[in-house]
Amino acid sequence: MIEEVNHNDSDSMNDPVFHVEQEHLSKTYKTLLSMEDAIIARMKKTANTAEDYKRTMADEATSNFASEGEAQETYIEYANLNSVIDALNQSQQVDADKLSNIQLLKPQPYFAKVVLQFKPGADPKEIYIGNAGVSDDSYHRLIVDWRSPVAEVYYNQSNGPTSYEANGRTIKVDMKLRRQFDIYEDTLNAYFDTTVAIQDELLLRSLSQQRTSQMSAITTTIQKEQNEVIRHKDVPALLVNGIAGSGKTSVLLQRIAYLFYQNRETLNPEQVYLITPNPVFRSYIDNVLPDMGEKNPHILTWDEFATHVVPAGRTFDSVHTTMNVFHRIDEVVPDLSFNEKDFKDIKLKGVTLISAAQINKIAARFKNVPAGPRLITLVREELEDRFESRLGQMAGTEQFQDQVRALSYNQQLALFGEPANMDSEQQAKEYTLKFLEFQFGEARTTIALNHWVRVDRIAKRLLRIENLSFLEWLYLKISCTGMVNDEAKFVMIDEVQDYSPCQLAVMARYYKRAHFLLLGDENQSITDHSSTFEEVREVFGEHRGEVSECYLMTSYRSTPAITELFAKLAINNTGMQISSVQRDDKEPELIVCNNEEEFDANLKRVVTNLAGEKGLTAVVVNTEQELTEIWNKLSSYVAQDQLYFISDGSTLPEHGVLLIDLQLAKGLEFDNVIIPDADCETYPETDLAKRQLYTAISRATNTVSILAKKKLTTLLA
């Protein structure tokens, strides 16, 4: 039985609990403001102290190297100065972090409270949970971070005996109360006591809000099944199978924030990679982590990843291969041996920096090292040293020094920040070296990514393949050269089903030390080269050894009526498990038009009825040829400032009507969705079409209008 107590401001006059909670909020908010003022004042004072100290020490410090003893005293004096400055910098950083947390909390100091009894007979403790943690100057914890171990009991949503993990220990507690708050700054609008979050008032309020151009964090409304993914133990590969609207992407971002919190001393954003389905989606999620006080990790599309790892001038195709070819590569690479024709000049802007013959000589010095990643690493390290020596040698030649002298005044300012003074030989060499760094510095990338290895020639010899596809080329290069990113600790792949098994194998090999979070929905595999979850398990089982799984089967995006409609299209009987959060809804509208005129009239009616409303209305088209036709129709009756065509480089508007193809719509959500091409030709009786229609329908939160000319697709019959 669900026990639920809701109290809002209309009840406040007769509710003593409301008054107590408002009083606590007011006191907390006042404390936050007071702490903010004190920290700002302290940081200003520390900055001034540091400047004064630097000036004083600079005046008093003497640089005396006349004797060994005097030099030693000078070094000690400098060390003392630096230690004081370091201490001031550390103090400043501590205050800056605390100030950042306070400013993050000011719009909503906290969103929940739990009352926990840690020992029988002991007084229960009240713990307030917010988007960040903060303690007062007496180290009393005012608010705990939602990612802290104790906050887990709130998300577990079970009153009574429960537990959480902290520092490797299981802490048993008795949860006496679980309370949610609707708060803005120092004003308490309402509070809710409930044991079952699926009925939470705050969740329903959040779901009823209009969609915007940016995804928002779900910290305040994380559900139990979502929390299990967010706080899942660190494993080599975690596969999350979630239906449309289950919050997969939100969970992914909360998981990243959680990992940053749990590993704050050892993990930085440069070590985390998020692979997104398209550029529009990237802009959609861009603000989520910063709004939680965390920096974004690397966010890449597959094309951007591919561009990074290929040498200049090589194009990457969309030709897909099979895992059989990859297995063949794995078989033959151990027998690889290099010869002089397997290397190519490191050449840039017409200048040969290191010749293929020189590379071959370096490789020949390591006769006892078999061909493969270890040998390539040894050669690469030698090439890095050789390149630095080469730049130094070039900097001493008249040829390149004359090029520096020939630079205009403005060019010199742009390169050096000052006019080049080349009166002495040493000065001439220094400026020329800076010039050469600008001209040829990217050769370091060529060396680092092993672009001096002729992979195509190796493939011809080992595999008897004349023209490698891009995926084959890349996998072979990784296999025989060890070209990997071994700095990445976590890689998150959203919409994992959209990648072929070979693409996934490439990423698994390239990010060789990383743990993977894989999120997807087999029902949203909308291309011919996508992966089944069985294939995902096989790839990462082979490369990571273990694949753990979690499931998200509740739709928080769509109304029950919309959820019921797309659930019928689900494959592998997952539709039987799909549920949605109950709220007011409107039945999807299915419109079959007998002719073009009737179609135009109905499309105009549906669009114009929605165009005046707040929020986003998306016209989702599955075929490229339909885009221009539909755009021309929309342009005739939707105001120019309310109509948007979404392409790869677009960001979503705050409101209005937008035309978008299905591929770009993946991962996004809209208040209203119009599908204008739901006929048998566009959506035939195939599994692929079924998944495409499932994806299109499930983008909607409130309403769906489906139009077809002459005959509706039998998938909806």
Side-chain angles (χ1 to χ4, degrees), residues 401-418:
Q401 289 181 7
D402 287 344
Q403 290 184 25
V404 175
R405 293 187 180 97
L407 295 173
S408 69
Y409 179 79
N410 288 335
Q411 287 173 325
Q412 291 180 20
L413 288 180
L415 282 174
F416 312 126
E418 61 185 9

Side-chain angles (χ1 to χ4, degrees), residues 570-577:
I571 60 175
N572 298 332
N573 296 318
T574 57
M576 299 297 293
Q577 308 171 44

